[in-house]
Amino acid sequence: MPSPLAKRSVEKLLSVLLVLLGVVGLAGLIGPGATAAAPPSDSPGPDWERIAACESSGRWHINTGNGYHGGLQIDLNTWRAYGGRRYAPRADLATRAEQIAVGERIARDRGLSAWPNCAARSTTSGAAGSSSPEVRRTSTAVEAAPAPARARTTPARSTARTYVVRPGDCLSAIADRTHAPGGTKALYARNKHALDQGPDHIYPGQRLRLRG
């Protein structure tokens, strides 16, 4: 027959084991649960496929002669102002990825105001697919009338005397966007001392003299 001392030792050991098991089980529940419950931090960006489906029926190399080109229907001045000329002379001559890259620059600078009708449809269409009746009606309307009414996207004339280079800029885009007197060549000549490696080597943060 076990002694009372032996019984107390066994009971104490069992109590310690139960406490340890409880702590380990609680930690296991809290750890993975907390990680799984964490909400994603990234918010979705513009749905360029939906915008292109609305603007051009998803035809990324369309040029109907209405002054707007490519899947996102970007006019020539805007294409140049936001660095598109590094890819191609016009949007319809660039790849889908290059057109989206220019679209991202426009959206960062001015939001989606360049696509007032189609951007609104792409963000309010919810879970409906691209084959929904609304998108099909829009695509038919674009094919029937290739020049839909939308806001002109020509940049406003600038009167600033200097300009600070931003990521994605190129010298020709800066000259077009700021309406620098004399264009790209004159802009390079005014800043030749700072651009000692040539007009194609500009860096974010550089301050360029636009006029005077």
Side-chain angles (χ1 to χ4, degrees):
M1 180 178 179
S3 67
L5 181 59
K7 283 184 177 181
R8 285 196 297 271
S9 299
V10 171
E11 290 173 355
K12 186 175 182 180
L13 181 59
L14 288 175
S15 300
V16 172
L17 287 174
L18 287 173
V19 171
L20 289 174
L21 289 172
V23 171
V24 171
L26 184 61
L29 289 173
I30 293 176
T35 302
S41 58
D42 294 333
S43 58
D47 191 336
W48 296 113
E49 288 295 341
R50 285 187 183 278
I51 294 175
C54 173
E55 289 282 352
S56 63
S57 298
R59 293 177 289 180
W60 291 91
H61 301 290
I62 188 173
N63 179 8
T64 61
N66 65 348
Y68 296 90
H69 312 106
L72 303 178
Q73 292 288 278
I74 302 174
D75 68 70
L76 192 58
N77 286 337
T78 302
W79 177 255
R80 291 174 175 174
Y82 287 91
R85 197 151 58 178
R86 72 177 59 182
Y87 305 127
R90 299 190 313 266
D92 60 296
L93 301 177
T95 67
R96 170 185 172 278
E98 290 166 348
Q99 292 180 48
I100 289 177
V102 174
E104 294 283 0
R105 295 190 195 115
I106 297 172
R108 283 196 300 269
D109 186 29
R110 299 159 50 190
L112 297 178
S113 61
W115 307 275
N117 297 323
C118 293
R121 291 175 185 173
S122 73
T123 55
T124 59
S125 58
S130 60
S131 60
S132 65
E134 179 185 356
V135 175
R136 284 201 298 271
R137 287 196 300 271
T138 302
S139 300
T140 304
V142 171
E143 292 177 359
R150 54 182 166 267
R152 291 287 170 177
T153 55
T154 304
R157 183 173 296 274
S158 172
T159 58
R161 300 186 67 83
T162 62
Y163 178 87
V164 178
V165 178
R166 295 180 292 183
D169 277 342
C170 61
L171 205 63
S172 59
I174 295 171
D176 288 339
R177 188 187 310 154
T178 60
H179 300 278
T184 305
K185 290 183 179 180
L187 180 61
Y188 173 59
R190 281 191 290 272
N191 295 276
K192 196 170 183 179
H193 63 286
L195 305 177
D196 52 358
Q197 297 184 37
D200 294 329
H201 295 275
I202 63 175
Y203 306 97
Q206 284 182 307
R207 183 174 294 276
L208 303 179
R209 188 159 56 91
L210 300 176
R211 18 184 85 77

